Amino acid sequence: MPYELYYWDGLQGRGEFIRLALEDAGADYIDIAREDGPERGIDAMMKVLKSKSERHLPFAPPFLKDGDMIISHVANILFYLGPKLNLAPSDENQRIFANGLQLTITDFVAEVHDTHHPIATTQYYEDQKEAAKLRSKDFIEHRMPKFLDYFERVLHRNPDGKAHTIGKSLSYVDISLFQIFEGLRYAFPRATANLAKDYPALQALHDTVGNRPNIKAYLRSERRLDFNTSGIFRHYPELDQSA
Amino acid sequence: MPYELYYWDGLQGRGEFIRLALEDAGADYIDIAREDGPERGIDAMMKVLKSKSERHLPFAPPFLKDGDMIISHVANILFYLGPKLNLAPSDENQRIFANGLQLTITDFVAEVHDTHHPIATTQYYEDQKEAAKLRSKDFIEHRMPKFLDYFERVLHRNPDGKAHTIGKSLSYVDISLFQIFEGLRYAFPRATANLAKDYPALQALHDTVGNRPNIKAYLRSERRLDFNTSGIFRHYPELDQSA
């Protein structure tokens, strides 16, 4: 039975971290909200969110259905899928470490979101633009380097070599870091101009992931939407500045 | 060997979710940064954060040491500790559901933090007060009810009864929801005036947790710091308003 991914159509968003892992593994999955037909489309997703009978009610997309199970939150979905997709360490303690890294990525992504929505998700960007400029400035000057420095150090600290964050094999954490690099470069081209120089191990990891055959095929497919100003990573020139 | 909790001294903060679980279980733990002596105090915490040899480097406090293991992030620490403290469901799929709920609490806590720091964690509240007022208004009108409605529904949806979020027994998620209620009432007394009426199942769960002998003893002890304006939940009257 294929996995069912539930996430908004029209943007990469948080769902993209799940898609990339499923695609890399060549897993059989249905991107429910993006397909037509019965039990498909946004309505099918809203039906679960508003269900009066579902025991494991999700708070928000993305969520994953695997048979009867519903799993919510990106990090939780990846923690659950990791071993099944062969994208997690076999050692249980290492999987806990991977989960901690993914939760740091979760925090980073939330901060990226808040660069354009620092006041209210219920309001348009245009109505919070001045606060967004202030928050983006702080993000570029303090937060982005703090997070990237950390992940660069994690790679250098891996006793099995800096090619991966954990052990000798690719994990879902590595794939998520690829997406972080992609997203930051789209949203903040000026601030990220020196990323390759400043974060060589992250850059190398990004290239490793981007060159994996299934990822390459996915990125060229229609399933990979372009970044746009509906997603988490948004390019508004007025929020960007040199690092 | 006792667990070692690493978190800032002087505030409840995110560390409190871990403390409450450890205290409820009567677990043997050392609150490293709050104690004096060799390998104690804030310096001992900073030493781990700045370590050049630690493999499993944390991004930020809180983190937990269990023997050689370092576990980062509140939800990850509770996921790890849950079964050991008898505060998690025995069923693996239910533990994944618990983790999803805890991650929703994580997001809620991050939004509470951003009510007083919507622009920059590196700046004082006073320097972002106007943005904080806007964000708090949105939080009180939209976000707080959205999260609380969700958890109230989760309680009502539990096939084993609304006394607990998962199954028939207390879990770390229940304990975290107790702390959410406590924190919201301190930070936003006007906005939370009708919490008991609007969220009866959450209120009952709060009371159940608060009446557990170990929790009661902890709350009366010197180990439980008062809420203050250094923590996640901060009371600034100008940010509060009737719901």
Side-chain angles (χ1 to χ4, degrees):
Chain A
M1 189 145 59
Y3 297 111
E4 294 183 359
L5 173 65
Y6 291 75
Y7 193 65
W8 306 108
D9 188 17
L11 60 151
Q12 292 185 15
R14 288 184 168 88
E16 197 66 12
F17 296 94
I18 316 295
R19 277 188 203 104
L20 284 165
L22 290 165
E23 292 280 349
D24 183 78
D28 190 13
Y29 76 101
I30 303 167
D31 206 335
I32 294 287
R34 288 193 184 164
E35 299 203 12
D36 296 322
E39 306 299 317
R40 298 285 185 276
I42 291 289
D43 289 352
M45 184 171 87
M46 296 315 291
K47 198 173 143 189
V48 179
L49 286 169
K50 293 181 174 169
S51 157
K52 299 238 182 276
S53 58
E54 177 51 54
R55 274 194 315 146
H56 289 173
L57 200 65
F59 180 73
F63 55 93
L64 185 86
K65 263 198 176 182
D66 181 13
D68 284 345
M69 259 190 95
I70 294 190
I71 306 113
S72 296
H73 287 274
V74 171
N76 197 29
I77 296 168
L78 291 172
F79 184 82
Y80 174 81
L81 283 178
K84 298 178 204 296
L85 303 182
N86 200 22
L87 286 173
S90 52
D91 177 73
E92 201 178 328
N93 289 352
Q94 290 280 63
R95 283 207 298 279
I96 290 288
F97 177 53
N99 190 41
L101 293 174
Q102 192 66 39
L103 288 171
T104 302
I105 293 173
T106 300
D107 287 349
F108 193 18
V109 168
E111 295 198 21
V112 169
H113 170 271
D114 281 8
T115 58
H116 49 78
H117 274 78
I119 301 298
T121 49
T122 50
Q123 287 170 22
Y124 291 113
Y125 161 66
E126 285 70 20
D127 296 329
Q128 49 197 307
K129 197 193 272 191
E130 292 315 308
K133 283 183 192 167
L134 294 172
R135 177 125 187 181
S136 296
K137 184 175 189 300
D138 182 77
F139 176 80
I140 289 168
E141 290 175 4
H142 299 287
R143 302 301 291 173
M144 187 173 81
K146 188 175 163 87
F147 279 99
L148 294 177
D149 286 353
Y150 170 73
F151 285 110
E152 182 78 13
R153 269 190 298 152
V154 166
L155 285 168
H156 285 273
R157 205 64 63 78
N158 182 356
D160 291 315
K162 60 180 188 279
H164 300 291
T165 44
I166 309 142
K168 290 178 179 151
S169 314
L170 190 91
S171 69
Y172 64 78
V173 175
D174 296 332
I175 294 176
S176 292
L177 287 171
F178 163 84
Q179 175 69 359
I180 290 284
F181 248 49
E182 292 283 303
L184 289 176
R185 283 202 167 116
Y186 160 74
F188 304 105
R190 292 174 61 199
T192 57
N194 297 320
L195 235 46
K197 184 171 71 63
D198 293 344
Y199 305 103
L202 279 170
Q203 178 65 50
L205 174 60
H206 166 274
D207 298 348
T208 298
V209 174
N211 282 316
R212 287 172 68 86
N214 285 354
I215 295 286
K216 257 178 126 156
Y218 169 64
L219 295 177
R220 286 175 187 158
S221 75
E222 290 189 350
R223 299 190 301 287
R224 170 78 166 189
L225 299 181
D226 289 338
F227 285 104
N228 60 37
T229 48
S230 301
I232 297 283
F233 295 98
R234 300 191 185 184
H235 179 55
Y236 295 120
E238 63 273 22
L239 301 186
D240 193 15
Q241 63 177 53
S242 298
Chain B
M1 190 148 53
Y3 296 111
E4 294 183 359
L5 173 64
Y6 290 75
Y7 193 65
W8 305 108
D9 189 18
L11 61 152
Q12 293 184 14
R14 288 184 168 86
E16 197 66 13
F17 296 93
I18 316 294
R19 276 187 205 105
L20 284 164
L22 291 165
E23 292 281 349
D24 183 77
D28 189 14
Y29 76 101
I30 304 166
D31 206 336
I32 294 287
R34 288 192 184 164
E35 300 202 11
D36 296 323
E39 306 299 317
R40 297 285 185 278
I42 292 288
D43 289 352
M45 184 170 87
M46 298 314 292
K47 199 173 142 190
V48 179
L49 286 168
K50 294 182 173 168
S51 157
K52 299 236 183 277
S53 58
E54 178 51 54
R55 277 194 314 147
H56 290 173
L57 200 65
F59 179 73
F63 55 93
L64 185 86
K65 263 198 178 183
D66 181 14
D68 283 343
M69 259 190 95
I70 295 191
I71 306 113
S72 297
H73 288 274
V74 170
N76 197 29
I77 296 168
L78 290 172
F79 184 82
Y80 174 82
L81 282 178
K84 298 177 204 297
L85 302 183
N86 201 22
L87 286 173
S90 52
D91 176 74
E92 200 177 330
N93 288 351
Q94 289 281 63
R95 284 207 297 277
I96 291 287
F97 177 53
N99 190 40
L101 293 173
Q102 191 67 38
L103 288 172
T104 302
I105 294 173
T106 300
D107 287 350
F108 193 17
V109 168
E111 294 198 20
V112 169
H113 170 272
D114 281 9
T115 58
H116 49 79
H117 273 78
I119 301 298
T121 49
T122 49
Q123 287 171 22
Y124 291 113
Y125 161 66
E126 285 70 21
D127 296 328
Q128 50 198 306
K129 196 193 274 192
E130 292 314 309
K133 283 182 193 167
L134 294 172
R135 177 124 188 181
S136 297
K137 183 175 190 303
D138 182 77
F139 176 79
I140 290 168
E141 291 175 4
H142 299 287
R143 303 301 290 172
M144 188 174 82
K146 187 176 163 86
F147 279 99
L148 294 178
D149 286 353
Y150 170 73
F151 285 110
E152 181 77 13
R153 269 191 298 152
V154 166
L155 286 169
H156 284 272
R157 207 63 64 77
N158 182 356
D160 292 314
K162 60 178 189 278
H164 300 291
T165 44
I166 310 143
K168 292 179 180 152
S169 315
L170 189 91
S171 70
Y172 63 79
V173 175
D174 296 331
I175 294 176
S176 292
L177 287 171
F178 163 84
Q179 175 69 0
I180 290 284
F181 249 50
E182 291 283 302
L184 289 176
R185 282 202 167 118
Y186 161 74
F188 303 105
R190 292 175 61 199
T192 57
N194 295 321
L195 234 47
K197 185 171 68 63
D198 293 344
Y199 305 103
L202 279 170
Q203 178 65 51
L205 175 60
H206 166 275
D207 297 347
T208 298
V209 173
N211 282 316
R212 286 173 68 86
N214 285 354
I215 295 286
K216 258 178 126 156
Y218 169 64
L219 295 177
R220 286 175 187 157
S221 75
E222 290 190 350
R223 299 191 300 288
R224 171 77 165 190
L225 300 181
D226 289 336
F227 284 104
N228 60 37
T229 48
S230 301
I232 297 282
F233 294 98
R234 300 191 186 185
H235 178 55
Y236 296 119
E238 63 273 21
L239 301 187
D240 192 15
Q241 64 177 53
S242 298

